[in-house]
Amino acid sequence: MALQTVREVTAGLHNGRWQDTLSRIYGDDASRAAGRLLALVDGFCDFYGADEDTTVALYSCPGRTELGGNHTDHQRGHALAASVDLDTIACVHPNDSGMIRVKSQHHRIAEIDLAHLEPQPRETGRSPSLVRGIAARISSMGYAVGGFDAYTTTQVLRGGGLSSSAAFEVLVGEIINHLYCDGALTACQLAQIAQWAENEYFGKPCGVLDQMACATGGVIAIDFGDKDRPEVRHVDFDLRGAGYALCIVDTGYSHADLKEDFAAIPREMRAVASCFGKELLSQVSPTDFYASIPEIRRRCGDRAVLRAIHFFLDDSLVGRQLQAIVQGDVETFLTLVSQSGRSSYMYLQNVSTYRDPAHQDMAVLLAVAEQLLGGRGACRVHGGGFAG
């Protein structure tokens, strides 16, 4: 949306001026979305003391779900992902203060001085680090990043595996892209910028799947073989038309103490790759890997071996899932989803940390889901795992 006064924005939302745009994004929920946006603008005005003549723009970034390829992105493998109709939205006013201020509903304001874009240790693991990192990265690309005031609300469940962090990161990147880069940054660039900020400023060694799905939208197949230019293919997949719905169930478990659990997965996969003089598992021949398991067990341990087995299996399943989707064979697709889930459970081992055997929320949820489905559909852990 181009900058308009608060008066113009609220009038347009009331009189249906943007009904077509909202219907394209939200489908049958377009009217409810207009109400959310009106509440967003009110929240912005209340917090920043804006009036009807203040110029603002509205932004949205969706959460995402992973359809295939669990923890394959950071090894430059393959993945299937889709954006969902739960999003994070922002009302934004550019300012000339040299400050970026982002107030998320129910959270403390993040205030970033653009004169100091170096990492701040006290921000590690907190949202201000993401805003600072994204501004720093875009500035390093030669763009004159300026300040803005933003107010955000979200429907993307925190800790539910829908990538609330990635949605927030890409949203901030798109705001800067629109206000100060003339929209020159591509979806791929925005995703990579967001990943860099999460790696280098926030302190989480994530891959780029989450950010890529949030930035691109729709259902996409991604080949991460080229680190700088991942190959993205849009896929026509009407799950609802096939008689199915995607249900995300939140276990209610926190991600707060799981940083090391997430970090261990790419670290152990890389350790296996290093046994072959390679950086990543995508550079290793599966045949060579299986022939060398006794030596790899000795050097890297059994969990690393199992996680490598998961990578080779799940990475190969993505191509078969994509083929099933293209052929309209939903039943085969769902069978492959189940196979991917079993691999994540048994080999990747990201349904529990096993530090506290009395609490295995996700494992219990998966067991109950299988019983409720009774052989229909499919269920699996998705995203980083352990808690979502």
Side-chain angles (χ1 to χ4, degrees):
M1 169 189 278
L3 288 167
Q4 300 181 47
T5 65
V6 167
R7 181 185 301 105
E8 291 170 324
V9 170
T10 54
L13 290 169
H14 277 299
N15 63 29
R17 177 181 173 188
W18 294 296
Q19 183 67 27
D20 289 345
T21 299
L22 295 179
S23 295
R24 188 170 65 251
I25 298 172
Y26 298 102
D28 295 339
D29 286 336
S31 296
R32 188 168 66 88
R36 282 181 64 218
L37 291 168
L38 284 166
L40 176 77
V41 175
D42 287 343
F44 172 88
C45 292
D46 289 344
F47 186 81
Y48 290 106
D51 57 33
E52 289 192 334
D53 293 320
T54 302
T55 54
V56 296
L58 303 182
Y59 298 84
S60 165
C61 184
R64 73 95 187 95
T65 184
E66 160 207 307
L67 301 177
N70 193 214
H71 280 279
T72 53
D73 56 334
H74 50 67
Q75 300 300 299
R76 295 188 208 162
H78 302 80
L80 278 171
S83 58
V84 297
D85 57 358
L86 301 175
D87 61 347
T88 299
I89 54 177
C91 180
V92 180
H93 167 70
N95 64 50
D96 57 3
S97 68
M99 298 286 295
I100 293 177
R101 292 184 283 262
V102 181
K103 174 66 173 80
S104 298
Q105 188 181 39
H106 309 310
H107 295 277
R108 295 172 61 182
I109 188 171
E111 297 184 276
I112 306 302
D113 186 342
L114 292 171
H116 301 284
L117 291 180
E118 64 278 2
Q120 304 294 316
R122 69 180 183 279
E123 292 178 351
T124 300
R126 299 171 51 231
S127 58
S129 68
L130 297 172
V131 180
R132 192 182 304 274
I134 291 165
R137 190 64 163 178
I138 296 177
S139 293
S140 73
M141 297 168 69
Y143 294 100
V145 176
F148 59 85
D149 297 326
Y151 185 85
T152 77
T153 65
T154 188
Q155 291 183 322
V156 185
L157 297 172
R158 291 180 61 86
L162 293 175
S163 298
S164 57
S165 295
F168 176 77
E169 295 159 12
V170 173
L171 182 72
V172 171
E174 184 53 49
I175 292 169
I176 296 174
N177 185 31
H178 174 243
L179 294 180
Y180 299 111
C181 308
D182 293 325
L185 299 175
T186 66
C188 182
Q189 286 177 307
L190 288 171
Q192 292 168 327
I193 289 165
Q195 180 208 17
W196 184 87
E198 189 160 346
N199 291 173
E200 303 298 327
Y201 277 61
F202 188 83
K204 181 179 178 181
C206 66
V208 74
L209 170 64
D210 298 357
Q211 293 85 353
M212 191 71 74
C214 292
T216 305
V219 179
I220 55 174
I222 315 171
D223 180 345
F224 292 100
D226 186 331
K227 178 182 178 182
D228 297 322
R229 294 177 178 82
E231 182 182 333
V232 179
R233 173 183 174 182
H234 285 268
V235 184
D236 184 16
F237 186 27
D238 184 5
L239 191 65
R240 180 180 297 178
Y244 290 91
L246 174 68
C247 301
I248 304 295
V249 184
D250 185 5
T251 67
Y253 191 81
S254 171
H255 281 85
D257 61 344
L258 297 174
K259 181 178 176 181
E260 171 55 26
D261 298 286
F262 290 125
I265 294 177
R267 183 174 65 241
E268 291 175 11
M269 289 184 177
R270 287 172 180 262
V272 173
S274 71
C275 294
F276 299 88
K278 305 295 184 181
E279 179 188 3
L280 303 167
L281 285 177
S282 59
Q283 300 162 342
V284 176
S285 161
T287 301
D288 291 344
F289 163 75
Y290 282 108
S292 305
I293 282 180
E295 175 63 16
I296 300 170
R297 289 182 67 194
R298 185 185 66 81
R299 294 176 58 178
C300 302
D302 286 348
R303 190 173 70 172
V305 169
L306 290 167
R307 284 176 166 171
I309 290 173
H310 164 77
F311 170 79
F312 291 119
L313 174 59
D314 212 24
D315 194 54
S316 69
L317 287 174
V318 171
R320 295 166 60 191
Q321 286 179 284
L322 177 59
Q323 183 180 26
I325 291 173
V326 171
Q327 294 176 346
D329 188 351
V330 178
E331 294 301 325
T332 295
F333 168 75
L334 293 172
T335 297
L336 296 170
V337 169
S338 295
Q339 291 181 25
S340 174
R342 283 194 293 272
S343 179
S344 293
Y345 201 145
M346 293 190 299
Y347 305 140
L348 186 61
Q349 299 181 29
N350 68 334
V351 300
S352 175
T353 65
Y354 301 106
R355 291 194 299 266
D356 180 7
H359 295 92
Q360 298 185 43
D361 307 67
M362 190 175 295
V364 171
L365 182 62
L366 287 168
V368 172
E370 283 190 351
Q371 294 300 312
L372 290 173
L373 287 171
R376 298 169 297 166
C379 61
R380 54 160 285 188
V381 56
H382 78 139
F386 299 113

